[in-house]
Amino acid sequence: MRSFVYTAQPARVLFGVGTAAKVADEVRRLGASRALLLGGDHVRPQADLVARALGSLQVARFDGARMHTPVDVTEQALRIAGEYDVDVVVAVGGGSTTGLAKALAVRTGADQVILPTTYAGSEVTPVLGETADGVKTTRSSPDILPETVVYDVEFTASMPVPMAVTSAINALAHAVEALYAEHTNPIVDTLALEAVAGIGRGVPALGADGVDLEGRSDLLLAAWLAGTCLASVGMGLHHKLCHVLGGSFDLPHASTHTVMLPHVMAYNAPSVPDVMERIATALDAEDAATGVYDLVAAAGGPVALADLGLREADLDDVARLATERAYPNPREVTRVGVRRLLGEAFEGRRPDRVARPVG
């Protein structure tokens, strides 16, 4: 008989097309009136639309968010927040902008309204990852969780297909690791498998019509479900490796997740064959790890760490950093095993297929 604990994350979500127009109402609903808008050059049209919707509620704007949430960037934005007596942060963008919003909120107590433009999923998690002195660390607290998330499908429609592919696989990683997490439960399992299936259907359709709102809506919904999984249970080796590669070697976040996921799945497969069987079924693939690899390769996504700028000489350091401390993972994490995994990911080799059970 299965026993488990499930904690629902208390966030308000608006989902649909054109929902960004309601952002001022959401700010007022929180009792706030002095908004700091976070954006960036890559999302300027969306951020400008939100600025117009906020009107006089916006008192300042900061467009300098960076990957992996560097503490020095947070300090710059923090000075602006203090100067303008900000009581709410409105963030438009992907995981980098959301991370900055969280970093500001946990330091100031300001509320957050997040308008995602990617499938990062961090907007529904109480987790913050920050980088200082080349080391990325994470922490979790209810104070980090955004109060409101406004999913506007139109905000993801202009995401270039290559970016959409890596962002979707980033979301897939949340769902995959949730299925074999230490504290998984039936609710998370259901959400994760639905997210896996949705991403498996949605990624091949991206190249067919990059502005298909129905397809983008399906992917955004799957990303939300995957992020909810990430918020509810802990992650394992995959996320640890990606934090090391991003925080210490400055590799791009979503692309790193995309390259690493099939290799970590192959590493863990012998310890959780039942989980991999369910993932393979959700993907309509013969094997979970090779199914993900083939999904990425067919969509033109990155498959090799070498193509992301990592040097082969760095692989030993990555393995050392990823195995310095113990953390939950279905298969024992050893430096030798992780180094072998990294070598395969560096070269971009297709993982060996794990045979599915017969009968």
Side-chain angles (χ1 to χ4, degrees), residues 122-351:
S122 60
E123 66 277 356
V124 288
T125 75
V127 178
L128 169 63
E130 299 181 281
T131 303
D133 300 323
V135 177
K136 188 170 185 177
T137 57
T138 60
R139 54 175 159 158
S140 181
S141 165
D143 296 332
I144 293 171
L145 182 71
E147 281 70 23
T148 302
V149 182
V150 180
Y151 288 107
D152 191 328
V153 178
E154 291 182 327
F155 273 29
T156 64
S158 60
M159 189 171 21
V161 170
M163 182 185 297
V165 170
T166 57
S167 188
I169 302 301
N170 181 20
L172 180 62
H174 307 330
V176 166
E177 286 227 302
L179 284 163
Y180 53 64
E182 184 181 28
H183 299 298
T184 191
N185 59 71
I187 298 167
V188 168
D189 284 1
T190 300
L191 297 179
L193 287 171
E194 182 62 29
V196 171
I199 293 167
R201 292 190 306 268
V203 168
L206 280 169
D209 186 354
V211 294
D212 172 22
L213 287 183
E214 193 67 35
R216 292 290 176 121
S217 177
D218 289 345
L219 275 175
L220 188 57
L221 178 60
W224 170 22
L225 297 178
T228 302
C229 296
L230 175 65
S232 302
V233 294
M235 297 285 109
L237 174 61
H238 172 81
H239 279 75
K240 177 62 176 180
L241 280 169
C242 290
H243 280 175
V244 170
L245 289 164
S248 300
F249 298 89
D250 202 31
L251 265 61
H253 182 82
S255 296
T256 302
H257 278 273
T258 301
V259 170
M260 293 305 304
L261 182 58
H263 297 282
V264 178
M265 291 173 68
Y267 180 89
N268 282 329
S271 297
V272 281
D274 56 330
V275 171
M276 294 303 165
E277 172 73 9
R278 286 188 287 161
I279 293 171
T281 299
L283 290 172
D284 193 22
E286 289 298 316
D287 171 72
T290 58
V292 171
Y293 182 94
D294 292 345
L295 182 69
V296 172
V303 296
L305 287 176
D307 295 335
L308 303 185
L310 189 72
R311 301 179 307 159
E312 189 169 12
D314 292 328
L315 295 179
D316 287 337
D317 285 337
V318 177
R320 175 181 57 79
L321 291 169
T323 56
E324 282 182 333
R325 296 183 179 88
Y327 46 86
N329 190 69
R331 181 179 175 183
E332 182 184 4
V333 177
T334 66
R335 188 179 298 189
V336 172
V338 169
R339 177 60 179 83
R340 182 181 302 114
L341 177 165
L342 286 165
E344 294 171 355
F346 182 81
E347 296 178 6
R349 271 185 267 159
R350 187 174 187 261

Side-chain angles (χ1 to χ4, degrees), residues 96-111:
S96 299
T97 313
T98 300
L100 178 57
K102 290 178 172 183
L104 292 173
V106 78
R107 287 168 169 79
T108 66
D111 288 334

Side-chain angles (χ1 to χ4, degrees), residues 57-150:
L57 293 173
Q58 179 190 325
V59 297
R61 180 166 173 171
F62 181 78
D63 289 322
R66 285 174 48 204
M67 279 195 308
H68 310 302
T69 319
V71 171
D72 59 333
V73 172
T74 298
E75 290 171 347
Q76 295 174 34
L78 194 60
R79 287 192 288 270
I80 295 173
E83 180 182 350
Y84 288 91
D85 194 23
V86 166
D87 59 6
V88 62
V89 179
V90 178
V92 181
S96 299
T97 313
T98 300
L100 178 57
K102 290 178 172 183
L104 292 173
V106 78
R107 287 168 169 79
T108 66
D111 288 334
Q112 300 173 72
V113 178
I114 311 294
L115 296 97
T117 60
T118 71
Y119 307 127
S122 60
E123 66 277 356
V124 288
T125 75
V127 178
L128 169 63
E130 299 181 281
T131 303
D133 300 323
V135 177
K136 188 170 185 177
T137 57
T138 60
R139 54 175 159 158
S140 181
S141 165
D143 296 332
I144 293 171
L145 182 71
E147 281 70 23
T148 302
V149 182
V150 180

Side-chain angles (χ1 to χ4, degrees), residues 47 94 110 354:
V354 177

